[in-house]
Amino acid sequence: MSKVFHAWSNGRWISLDLQSNRYSMASTSVACPEERERLTEATARLRDCLNSLPAFVPPLHLVWRYARAAHAARLIRNQSIARQLDFLRASRHGTAPVSVGGETIHCYASVFQHLRNLRFRRPRCLEDSVGGYLFFYPYIASLELLVGVKQPPFGAHAWLQSGDLILNDTRRAVEDYSVILRFAK
């Protein structure tokens, strides 16, 4: 299996080498083994399960699950992307995720975003996405962790998606990124 992934952004190929944990850029004249992937149109709705924030108290088991997922993501945040993905693969044992409807996915996304906003320091995108993956995994069958790149200037970003729904970000924040890595269940 290839450990190098490619994406097209503004006239250049950007490569992610998981073994060396590095990005590199090539001009348009260099041929890439993979075709350019287009980002799927995704919609991110405002998560308004309840009308007022003080009334929004998530179930205790979800608070506990979020705390465990955020702690695990914080512990591995300085590891390479490949190691973090290996950690996610190893953590997928146990009960298989269930297929739930869009309304239920919105509810879980609302809980996740609400609890994330209560933290003193908001995590960076990869740490947030790894923690979100650990949080959402038992509840959402079509969960994907995506890493996107763009240039100029060079930028990389990670987010979670289920189908066309972006779970831990907004469509506007990810629409300029070309997907270079998809980590699905």
Side-chain angles (χ1 to χ4, degrees), residues 50-58 114:
L50 297 175
N51 292 333
S52 64
L53 191 60
F56 187 34
V57 179
H114 175 66

Side-chain angles (χ1 to χ4, degrees), residues 67-136:
R68 290 179 55 206
H71 179 70
R74 188 174 54 82
L75 291 177
I76 64 166
R77 72 177 168 212
N78 293 327
Q79 300 292 322
S80 69
I81 295 172
R83 290 237 177 164
Q84 291 187 44
L85 295 178
D86 289 341
F87 177 79
L88 291 179
R89 275 187 205 94
S91 66
R92 293 192 292 198
H93 66 283
T95 59
V98 295
S99 288
V100 293
E103 188 174 316
T104 306
I105 292 174
H106 280 287
C107 184
Y108 285 124
S110 298
V111 168
F112 179 80
Q113 290 183 5
H114 175 66
L115 293 173
R116 181 183 62 195
N117 290 335
L118 295 177
R119 293 178 67 169
F120 291 112
R121 180 192 66 82
R122 184 167 178 171
R124 294 186 182 245
C125 62
L126 186 58
E127 178 186 349
D128 184 50
S129 296
V130 167
Y133 190 93
L134 295 169
F135 176 81
F136 290 118

Side-chain angles (χ1 to χ4, degrees), residues 28-69:
T28 56
S29 62
V30 176
C32 184
E34 298 176 16
E35 290 186 24
R36 176 182 173 192
E37 287 188 60
R38 293 178 60 189
L39 285 175
T40 57
E41 284 298 320
T43 58
R45 299 181 189 141
L46 293 175
R47 318 292 194 236
D48 55 346
C49 284
L50 297 175
N51 292 333
S52 64
L53 191 60
F56 187 34
V57 179
L60 187 57
H61 74 281
L62 291 180
V63 173
W64 177 247
R65 178 149 193 89
Y66 175 83
R68 290 179 55 206

Side-chain angles (χ1 to χ4, degrees), residues 40-45 47 106 164-167 169-171:
T40 57
E41 284 298 320
T43 58
R45 299 181 189 141
R47 318 292 194 236
H106 280 287
D164 288 340
L165 178 66
I166 299 171
L167 300 173
D169 218 327
T170 62
R171 183 186 61 78

